[in-house]
Amino acid sequence: MHYEAPIREPLIIGDKSYHDITVEVARPIETKAPRIWWFAFSLALLLFLWGIGCILYTIGEGIGTWGLNKTVGWAWDITNFVWWVGIGHAGTLISAVLLLFRQKWRMAINRSAEAMTIFSVVQAALFPGIHMGRLWLGWYVFPFPNQYGSLWVNFNSPLLWDVFAISTYFSVSLVFWYVGLVPDFAMIRDRAINPVQKHIYKILSFGWGGKAKHWQRFEELSLVLAGLATPLVLSVHTIVSMDFATSVIPGWHTTIFPPYFVAGAIFSGFAMVQTLLLIVRKMYKMEHYITLQHIEMMNIVIMLTGSIVGVAYITELFMAWYSGVEYEQYAFLNRATGPYWWAYWSMMTCNVFSPQFMWFKKLRTNLIFTFIISIVVNIGMWFERFVIIVTSLHRDYLPSSWSMFSPSFVDIGIFLGTIGFFFVLFLLYTRTFPVIAQAELKTILKSSGEYYKKEQKDHGEH
Amino acid sequence: MASTEKHIIVRALYDDDDVVLDAVKTVRDKGYHVHEVFSPFPIHGLDKAMGLAPTRLSVAGFLYGLAGLATSIVMTYYMMITDWPQNIGGKPSMSWGLNMPAFVPIMFELTVFFAAHLMVWTFWMKNKLYPGAEAQNDDPRLTDDKFLMEVELKGDKEALTALLKESGAIEISEA
């Protein structure tokens, strides 16, 4: 029943029992934070506070505090929005798509990847919110009856589709994550000694007890939610890309955008998962669960999606030439050789060239190298959005209105602030939530644990 | 967990998922009714071994999805076609059928939204799970590495105890 081909590498290293998994997953919650955690948390908190200051300044003074001008009316805000949404995609991909494909290696990493999804969508949602100027009127993006008629939202607009897509994505990811967390919170609750902690985890665990019928429903629910989340995650970045693709700006108006954006999203998301997990496994000594094999698998995904993105870039260039539209041709020539050439070539280097190192097993199993590449990829993917957005806008149809964009300190501050906010949330999560889906992981111990696999090899199937 | 007036529940604790699964099969083969099994993680095949009916949660999910789809159709029809039709970008709102392609993303998102959220609500309600609920397991080891089978007593108690012992139980008690 627990048979797995001996050629497959173990996913749980060492002679672990179910109890060992419980203890090791609960340890970060039950022990004091390491010094490095406090250091990282303080740094993230400072960035976050700086970001809040810049957001309040924007709301108080208006969008004029940003570096926008009448030609480049969309710049860092939408770049950051798309970047953060894209990062979120890998979490859903790991938890939903890999569940549908029955990939067991997802189990050690899905909890943190989903946490990353939720925290990064929070960052993304900030940007359209503050770009509205009057944040307190944000509810106007939803179809509420109002005193103007009612005047309804425009269901033909991709920006409204985006509202629905992001809201659905965020809320569905959140409940998907929470359903999986409940049995693990119950485990923490049952171990807690401190009465305050016990009470908090009692509330969080919803009273879960692990009855057979409940597990049956749990598994069915997880499967169906995964089935729903898979097309959902593809729809979200498709719709984000339609914000651009349905407009008539050269460089945006292309049908390749949806698959191209989705591949880019998965690419950047896996890079961020890689960054975060390398920190988590080191900080909490989770090397036996988040193994070198997990890192290698993710590097392969990064290599694959990076290459897809590369093909998309080249296809875009080809289509610009092949379309025969001189505006389209100029937009791409300007990207590669115009005043923003450095952004374009940074993007190309980081996204297309750097993942190709992962063809070499030595490099993709090297932790330091992986960490560096994961950061490089995220920088590259930020540049990709910047290139698409700013270089397509800054030289429009009328040469007299051509201009450049330079960010103000507020633009930079808000972006750094979201990075701070993201890490504040993630670091708090690693100390209060079980960072590994331990209930799920226990189901594969006998088939994929190193000890059991060795037993099986020595004594045959039992 | 609470024993009813008629039935006495015998609780047997195990320390392995395969052992408890075999025990469920053995006990049921002998004609006993397995009242409940608690486990720290889902055991593959346990629901069949216990004779639990398949869950209809996914059927409910399908219906919820249809409800979401219907909502989106009614909503776009009412708001865009009848209540305040507008000519947006030279594309007038003539009929729902002609405008439908622009509504596909909304229809899809609401289908998913309804299906996912209502399924999760159904899951909480059917399982009586809510914030602050008392733990359904009274033994904290059941979320760690122990497995509990509750069997309804029928006939001789000694015979059942012996059977449970033989099936690998490490602790036997009465509730």
Side-chain angles (χ1 to χ4, degrees), chain A residues 371-412:
Chain A
F371 189 77
I372 294 168
I373 290 289
S374 74
I375 305 267
V376 165
V377 165
N378 268 314
I379 295 172
M381 283 309 291
W382 189 87
F383 270 113
E384 181 201 291
R385 279 66 180 253
F386 179 79
V387 164
I388 291 173
I389 291 155
V390 173
T391 67
S392 304
L393 287 175
H394 86 120
R395 291 192 166 173
D396 62 6
Y397 295 104
L398 201 65
S400 64
S401 55
W402 287 5
S403 76
M404 295 289 283
F405 171 83
S406 59
S408 71
F409 81 93
V410 185
D411 282 301
I412 300 169

Side-chain angles (χ1 to χ4, degrees), chain A residues 1-2 18-19 22 148 150 152 171 189-190 202 207 210 212-213 215-217 220 232 235 439 442 446, chain B residues 16-18 36-39 41 47 53 58 83-84 88 102 109 117 127 129-130 134 136-137 143-145:
Chain A
M1 191 178 77
H2 297 298
Y18 293 133
H19 184 64
T22 308
Y148 304 112
S150 300
W152 301 111
S171 63
R189 171 201 68 202
D190 287 346
K202 182 184 150 191
K213 186 72 190 177
W215 278 123
Q216 184 198 39
R217 291 187 184 126
E220 179 115 336
L232 179 64
S235 83
K442 284 171 182 170
K446 285 190 177 175
Chain B
D16 189 273
D17 48 334
D18 292 328
E36 187 61 86
V37 174
F38 291 85
S39 64
F41 55 83
D47 50 348
S58 47
D83 190 49
W84 192 329
I88 296 158
E109 299 300 335
H117 284 287
N127 295 349
L129 296 169
Y130 55 90
E134 287 301 324
Q136 292 172 356
N137 54 322
T143 51
D144 179 5
D145 62 346

Side-chain angles (χ1 to χ4, degrees), chain A residues 1-3 447 461-462, chain B residues 17-18 21 43-44:
Chain A
M1 191 178 77
H2 297 298
Y3 180 75
S447 61
E461 211 191 329
H462 48 262
Chain B
D17 48 334
D18 292 328
L21 185 61
I43 300 171
H44 189 69

Side-chain angles (χ1 to χ4, degrees), chain B residues 43-161:
Chain B
I43 300 171
H44 189 69
L46 179 66
D47 50 348
K48 283 207 182 68
M50 284 172 71
L52 293 178
T55 169
R56 290 162 296 173
L57 201 55
S58 47
V59 178
F62 179 74
L63 297 176
Y64 295 148
L66 285 183
L69 182 65
T71 305
S72 66
I73 291 171
V74 170
M75 185 172 77
T76 47
Y77 176 75
Y78 172 70
M79 291 177 186
M80 298 299 288
I81 309 299
T82 65
D83 190 49
W84 192 329
Q86 296 174 86
N87 184 332
I88 296 158
K91 290 168 276 186
S93 302
M94 297 295 193
S95 72
W96 190 85
L98 286 172
N99 277 37
M100 192 273 284
F103 303 148
V104 167
I106 303 286
M107 287 153 66
F108 172 76
E109 299 300 335
L110 283 188
T111 306
V112 170
F113 186 91
F114 273 59
H117 284 287
L118 293 177
M119 265 179 86
V120 172
W121 277 101
T122 310
F123 176 74
W124 299 138
M125 279 154 65
K126 289 290 284 182
N127 295 349
K128 299 196 175 57
L129 296 169
Y130 55 90
E134 287 301 324
Q136 292 172 356
N137 54 322
D138 54 9
D139 187 337
R141 291 173 296 175
L142 297 179
T143 51
D144 179 5
D145 62 346
K146 297 292 184 284
F147 307 81
L148 184 76
M149 176 170 68
E150 294 184 339
V151 187
E152 273 174 24
L153 180 61
K154 200 178 70 177
D156 184 22
K157 196 175 142 197
E158 297 302 312
L160 178 59
T161 314

Side-chain angles (χ1 to χ4, degrees), chain A residues 193-253:
Chain A
I193 300 162
N194 178 329
V196 178
Q197 197 185 31
K198 196 167 192 91
H199 192 71
I200 291 171
Y201 285 101
K202 182 184 150 191
I203 294 171
L204 289 174
S205 67
F206 283 24
W208 178 267
K211 291 182 178 177
K213 186 72 190 177
H214 296 184
W215 278 123
Q216 184 198 39
R217 291 187 184 126
F218 177 94
E219 291 210 288
E220 179 115 336
L221 182 65
S222 305
L223 187 66
V224 177
L225 284 182
L228 288 169
T230 302
L232 179 64
V233 68
L234 300 183
S235 83
V236 171
H237 232 54
T238 297
I239 291 173
V240 168
S241 81
M242 286 171 178
D243 291 347
F244 304 98
T246 56
S247 68
V248 285
I249 305 287
W252 288 3
H253 191 63

Side-chain angles (χ1 to χ4, degrees), chain A residues 22 40 57 87 96 103 154 174 184 228 239 257 272 301 355 361 413:
Chain A
T22 308
Y57 183 57
I87 285 172
Q103 291 294 311
N154 177 12
L174 191 67
D184 292 2
L228 288 169
I239 291 173
F257 262 25
M272 187 59 110
V301 176
K361 187 160 177 115

Side-chain angles (χ1 to χ4, degrees), chain A residues 73 85 120 164 175 197 307 387:
Chain A
V85 175
S120 57
F164 277 77
V175 294
Q197 197 185 31
S307 306
V387 164

